[in-house]
Amino acid sequence: MDISVDARWHLEARGYDPATELMIESVFALVNGYSGTRAALEEGDDVSYPALYVAGIFNTPAAPQADELQDPIPELVRAPDWSRIRIVAEGQELQIGHVELLEQRRVLDMQRGVLLRAWRVRDAAGRVTRLRSLRFASLDNRHVFGQQLALTPENYSGTIMLEASVNGNVRNENKTQHLALVGAHTIAGGVALTMRTLQSGYVLSFVTNATLSGANMTSVAPFVEEARVGQRWTWQAEQGQTYTLDKRVVVYTSRDVDDPLAAASDQLATLGSTVELLAAHEAAWAARWQASDAVITGSEERQQQARWAIYQLIGAANPDDEQASIGARSITGERYRGHIFWDNETFVWPFYPYTDPQAARALLMYRYHRLDGARRKAQALGYRGALFPWESTDTGEETTPPFINVPGRGVQPVLTGSEEHHLAADIAYAVAQYRQATGDERFFLDYGAEMLLEIARFWASRVEKDEHGRYHILKVIGPDEYHESVDDNAYTNMMAQWTLRCGLEAADELRASFPERWQALAARLGIEQRELDTWQAVADNIVTGFDPATRLFEQFDGYYKLREVDLTGHSTAEKTMDIKLGWEEIQRTQVIKQSDVVMLLFLLWEQFTPDVREKNFRFYEPRTAHDSSLSPSFHALVAARLGDLPMAERYLHQAATIDLDFTRKGWAGAAGGVHIAAIGGIWQALAFGFLGMEPTDEGVRFRPHIPAHWGALQMMIQWRGSQLRVTAQASGATEIGVEAGNAATLAVGDGAWQTVAAGATLSG
Ligand code: IFM
């Protein structure tokens, strides 16, 4: 089977194992920001879960989806399967389970954004059929899908029936029906299927047409069977002859246009051939790689992991959509119901300001458009300002389920929705980071400043003052979710302090440079000087848990008194620590689920002296179980910045294998979708850790730490309108080429800032 594979650009899965199938479907998914298509076998089998998700299409069913839930929870809707095929040769269905699979190779070509498959099957009568397929979800025109299938009867001639359909008979994994049929009919040269989400009322229209080429063809018959539409061919196939299906599908929803069916049909009528669509799609991927590639010269494995992370990140965001954001499993699976967490702003989002600023802006606008929901949440809990929902969907309302069934623990209350508030600061941090990285002052003036002020206002209302004039934040969950209802979580308090200062700076700046705008905004939000004085007092007097004697931050009040647990040999994949110890017990221990103080070290790096960074990392790293996929990548990042390269690489590998290792026993891995936060963390570990990128208000500095066996790390970085190519050698030499755009203010190591024009290079 002749698909050539270059591990630096391709992921490959050989054969077929039902145990790994669902993981492969997620990891090899076709993603273009608008939609995600799981890489299920086109003809289906008993375990496969073919699914399309269209970003932002959520539905809340009429009744709760599970016994433990009191109310129904909105979830990302499984949309019609656009790439379904059915092949029957001489009356025999060519599907695993009905025929013997002789060989199979599946390749995700990350460079071109295509999924390739080659397989051979033999039926009980000994007839061997060879098949090859290619699928893509266009990055050039995100509404378009393309599919090709080449079929060759190897050792027989006979009647073959081939069906290419769009199948709307789908329910979500938990069996919830979210879609109702609106209409299915033939159109000029094809077929159309329109469905509507039952409660949220989104309309989704698919139109498709296909051709089958080969000798002695008989005519094509379109079919419409309830919510399944397609075309069907039956012909006398000749031994050794190859027959090729070319299928194009267009999808529009009522989120995009008023009349999705008309839009999809009009587009299909003027669409180029599959080959032309594929060429445009590949060109779009080439442009995105040009702006975001990471090259690791000496390690094929790291190279593949890095490129897969970048592939998933490019495919997770749509720069043209301000109404959708990135859920915990991107658009590749249904775990966490497609909900959007802090995973987005803190883990995934930082890729975009440095590689695709328009996508970064669109994702922040998703939050801005939901500022009223955040105001409502703050108010409902008795606070002021804006507290974004811990779990967010299309509406901007809090959608965290109040209860959840945890394996091994039964039905448990979920406190994150009411207690995990650091997300507010995480969003503020992204707003400031975007402005710093892009210089987009318009965004700051029109939207960013308002977000910062409202979030700062939330924190000022969230604190409680003690008799010594110190401010506390009580009863929170920090990033380490193994400890609930804690007081003065260092991460939360420090990030709240940072947000308050940022809000004060925004107010000062607007007042000084844009007085009219400030007056209008302050009047609209009702901000007076008295309130700003309170913010200052809170920022100056909030407790942080820092002990100048030990140089450590206490993760939260009382953490040191908890029982120490030796985590040597702990394997998350086997059993997480909360399951091993029990939920009550784990709260009595120092076991940390995921990076907490360690995250803080990175986010507020400049605020800490080298000894504080080192001491806190060495204290908290052995206490962290990494029972959340969010954890290893940030340990990789901080370890790399501290120059501990063996540890940094170990954690980087751990982050990558969360999804890419299909062999771990008892581990469902990526089955429910890829762990996009871990993936975003991989890019951040490379950029901010190994390449040592330190963005500042003055310019961007690089202090690389490159493992010897990598040889070099080269990354494409956008900085305030300049396209940079940064190459750091393991030997220590670093070059930053300004390839295009504005002159950039750059520095390497402890060197002085330099202004480098387009076409010039800074070496250090
Ligand atoms: O947001 C995360 C959280 O930090 C840990 N549990 C899973 C959530 C979704 O990924």
Side-chain angles (χ1 to χ4, degrees):
M1 297 212 186
D2 53 342
I3 302 177
S4 64
V5 171
D6 171 359
R8 290 164 184 277
W9 280 110
H10 298 154
L11 286 187
E12 183 181 20
R14 286 177 180 254
Y16 172 81
D17 176 359
T20 59
E21 202 53 27
L22 293 176
M23 300 185 222
I24 292 172
E25 289 178 359
S26 302
V27 168
F28 286 49
L30 293 169
V31 281
N32 67 5
Y34 177 82
S35 73
T37 304
R38 288 174 63 84
L41 305 177
E42 296 97 316
E43 72 284 14
D45 74 332
D46 287 349
V47 294
S48 85
Y49 190 73
L52 169 72
Y53 305 101
V54 180
I57 300 289
F58 287 90
N59 187 59
T60 311
Q65 296 100 319
D67 291 346
E68 74 269 17
L69 296 175
Q70 288 162 339
D71 296 315
I73 304 292
E75 58 192 11
L76 191 63
V77 170
R78 181 184 181 192
D81 172 16
W82 64 268
S83 65
R84 191 70 172 181
I85 56 164
R86 199 174 153 229
I87 312 156
V88 180
E90 286 286 272
Q92 178 63 64
E93 185 97 34
L94 299 193
Q95 192 184 57
I96 296 171
H98 297 265
V99 288
E100 182 191 355
L101 182 69
L102 296 175
E103 49 186 316
Q104 170 164 254
R105 291 177 61 199
R106 279 173 286 178
V107 171
L108 175 68
D109 182 336
M110 303 180 282
Q111 188 171 27
R112 299 160 62 208
V114 301
L115 183 61
L116 302 160
R117 180 178 171 212
W119 71 115
R120 283 172 74 235
V121 294
R122 177 166 56 208
D123 69 13
R127 285 183 288 259
V128 176
T129 309
R130 182 154 39 93
L131 301 116
R132 286 186 57 131
S133 71
L134 175 153
R135 280 180 279 174
F136 62 95
S138 177
L139 193 67
D140 172 58
N141 176 349
R142 292 183 162 86
H143 298 276
V144 170
F145 303 107
Q147 181 175 25
Q148 293 179 320
L149 175 80
L151 176 156
T152 315
E154 252 184 41
N155 61 353
Y156 67 98
S157 296
T159 307
I160 293 187
M161 191 284 289
L162 174 64
E163 229 179 59
S165 65
V166 176
N167 181 17
N169 293 315
V170 289
R171 284 169 182 255
N172 271 42
E173 213 177 340
N174 56 21
K175 306 285 180 268
T176 305
Q177 177 83 50
H178 286 297
L179 290 170
L181 177 64
V182 174
H185 52 268
T186 56
I187 54 168
V191 277
L193 174 69
T194 298
M195 303 197 76
R196 187 174 49 79
T197 55
L198 279 164
Q199 281 72 30
S200 53
Y202 293 114
V203 176
L204 297 85
S205 287
F206 293 77
V207 296
T208 176
N209 74 3
T211 56
L212 183 67
S213 59
N216 306 323
M217 284 309 309
T218 54
S219 64
V220 49
F223 67 88
V224 173
E225 293 169 1
E226 286 288 311
R228 201 169 78 89
V229 300
Q231 290 159 278
R232 191 176 285 143
W233 297 261
T234 306
W235 76 102
Q236 280 304 309
E238 299 290 334
Q239 180 176 346
Q241 171 80 40
T242 297
Y243 302 91
T244 306
L245 172 83
D246 273 279
K247 177 175 166 189
R248 304 165 310 161
V249 181
V250 182
V251 59
Y252 271 87
T253 77
S254 53
R255 280 197 55 229
D256 313 316
V257 288
D258 289 340
D259 187 345
L261 179 59
S265 307
D266 290 352
Q267 188 148 114
L268 186 70
T270 56
L271 221 52
S273 68
T274 321
V275 173
E276 288 164 337
L277 294 172
L278 181 59
H281 164 71
E282 288 178 5
W285 269 101
R288 292 294 292 114
W289 280 113
Q290 181 66 31
S292 44
D293 198 9
V295 181
I296 300 174
T297 336
S299 168
E300 200 172 79
E301 187 182 28
R302 294 285 167 270
Q303 178 66 82
Q304 188 185 59
Q305 292 167 344
R307 289 228 168 98
W308 178 73
I310 293 169
Y311 166 81
Q312 287 291 347
L313 291 167
I314 292 173
N318 181 355
D320 299 323
D321 189 355
E322 293 184 359
Q323 297 297 343
S325 188
I326 302 170
R329 297 302 184 94
S330 187
I331 28 183
T332 65
E334 289 166 35
R335 190 85 212 286
Y336 293 107
R337 304 176 200 271
H339 291 185
I340 296 127
F341 295 71
W342 74 309
D343 304 33
N344 180 55
E345 281 76 9
T346 306
F347 294 81
V348 185
W349 180 88
F351 168 74
Y352 304 105
Y354 304 103
T355 61
D356 186 359
Q358 196 189 326
R361 188 180 193 282
L363 289 164
L364 293 179
M365 289 304 291
Y366 162 84
R367 294 290 191 183
Y368 180 79
H369 291 309
R370 284 155 186 79
L371 198 47
D372 279 342
R375 289 181 176 120
R376 280 193 292 276
K377 175 167 177 181
Q379 205 177 14
L381 293 178
Y383 307 119
R384 302 186 68 215
L387 171 59
F388 286 90
W390 177 247
E391 296 190 27
S392 182
T393 57
D394 50 343
T395 60
E397 302 303 317
E398 178 59 78
T399 57
T400 305
F403 295 94
I404 193 170
N405 202 342
V406 181
R409 278 173 46 206
V411 175
Q412 299 290 318
V414 178
L415 300 183
T416 48
S418 53
E419 290 193 1
E420 198 154 353
H421 293 170
H422 61 81
L423 161 87
D426 303 325
I427 292 174
Y429 190 91
V431 168
Q433 192 178 358
Y434 173 75
R435 184 184 185 200
Q436 185 190 63
T438 64
D440 183 349
E441 294 300 305
R442 197 69 271 151
F443 174 84
F444 171 72
L445 292 174
D446 292 346
Y447 313 109
E450 185 178 348
M451 292 169 83
L452 293 175
L453 294 169
E454 285 288 60
I455 298 172
R457 169 179 267 177
F458 161 71
W459 286 119
S461 74
R462 181 65 179 80
V463 295
E464 288 177 40
K465 194 176 179 181
D466 68 17
E467 67 274 24
H468 309 292
R470 309 287 290 160
Y471 291 91
H472 302 265
I473 301 181
L474 307 181
K475 214 170 176 235
V476 292
I477 302 177
D480 162 25
E481 293 172 343
Y482 277 166
H483 298 93
E484 295 177 326
S485 306
V486 299
D487 296 339
D488 291 324
N489 166 248
Y491 178 96
T492 306
N493 288 22
M494 290 286 288
M495 292 299 286
Q497 180 186 57
W498 179 90
T499 308
L500 285 160
R501 289 185 174 146
C502 200
L504 286 163
E505 274 169 30
D508 280 353
E509 210 183 324
L510 287 179
R511 198 170 15 212
S513 308
F514 304 92
E516 281 176 20
R517 195 174 275 266
W518 167 247
Q519 272 165 20
L521 188 58
R524 181 154 63 81
L525 302 181
I527 297 181
E528 292 175 2
Q529 187 53 46
R530 231 165 359 128
E531 183 175 358
L532 297 178
D533 294 343
T534 311
W535 296 6
Q536 190 67 61
V538 176
D540 291 346
N541 295 293
I542 194 165
V543 301
T544 63
F546 183 66
D547 177 353
T550 60
R551 317 295 287 158
L552 290 177
F553 284 92
E554 185 171 24
Q555 189 180 286
F556 53 83
D557 184 27
Y559 177 82
Y560 295 143
K561 293 196 196 107
L562 300 175
R563 180 165 76 81
E564 273 188 54
V565 174
D566 182 2
L567 290 174
T568 313
H570 168 61
S571 156
T572 302
E574 267 167 35
K575 222 181 229 183
T576 52
M577 286 304 293
D578 56 329
I579 303 292
K580 276 187 202 162
L581 298 181
W583 189 245
E584 300 303 319
E585 181 55 21
I586 196 133
Q587 310 230 16
R588 295 189 203 108
T589 72
Q590 291 188 354
V591 176
I592 299 167
K593 178 181 178 185
Q594 64 197 84
S595 323
D596 193 302
V597 173
V598 169
M599 294 259 336
L600 185 66
L601 294 178
F602 163 62
L603 292 175
L604 304 184
W605 190 256
E606 281 306 305
Q607 291 191 26
F608 309 123
T609 54
D611 72 317
V612 169
R613 297 169 189 153
E614 184 74 32
K615 283 220 161 78
N616 280 275
F617 184 74
R618 297 298 168 199
F619 181 81
Y620 284 107
E621 188 270 330
R623 291 170 168 78
T624 308
H626 307 291
D627 285 344
S628 157
S629 63
L630 278 61
S631 196
S633 55
F634 270 80
H635 275 70
L637 191 166
V638 175
R641 278 202 168 181
L642 295 177
D644 186 341
L645 292 179
M647 183 185 280
E649 249 217 303
R650 182 162 57 74
Y651 278 124
L652 185 70
H653 186 67
Q654 193 174 329
T657 49
I658 287 167
D659 287 327
L660 291 177
D661 182 356
F662 304 145
T663 64
R664 288 201 275 170
K665 279 218 161 50
W667 170 245
V674 300
H675 295 76
I676 196 71
I679 293 167
I682 292 172
W683 184 86
Q684 291 198 64
L686 291 173
F688 298 120
F690 293 93
L691 203 62
M693 176 161 79
E694 292 180 8
T696 73
D697 289 344
E698 203 158 3
V700 58
R701 181 181 292 280
F702 294 86
R703 294 180 202 274
H705 292 280
I706 310 296
H709 74 109
W710 289 18
L713 168 65
Q714 181 178 90
M715 292 183 80
M716 304 302 289
I717 300 288
Q718 289 189 41
W719 174 255
R720 296 184 188 164
S722 319
Q723 178 63 63
L724 311 180
R725 181 188 296 272
V726 187
T727 314
Q729 309 286 341
S731 60
T734 301
E735 281 200 343
I736 313 172
V738 181
E739 301 226 312
N742 303 332
T745 305
L746 306 171
V748 174
D750 291 330
W753 291 111
Q754 311 269 343
T755 303
V756 185
T761 298
L762 174 69
S763 303

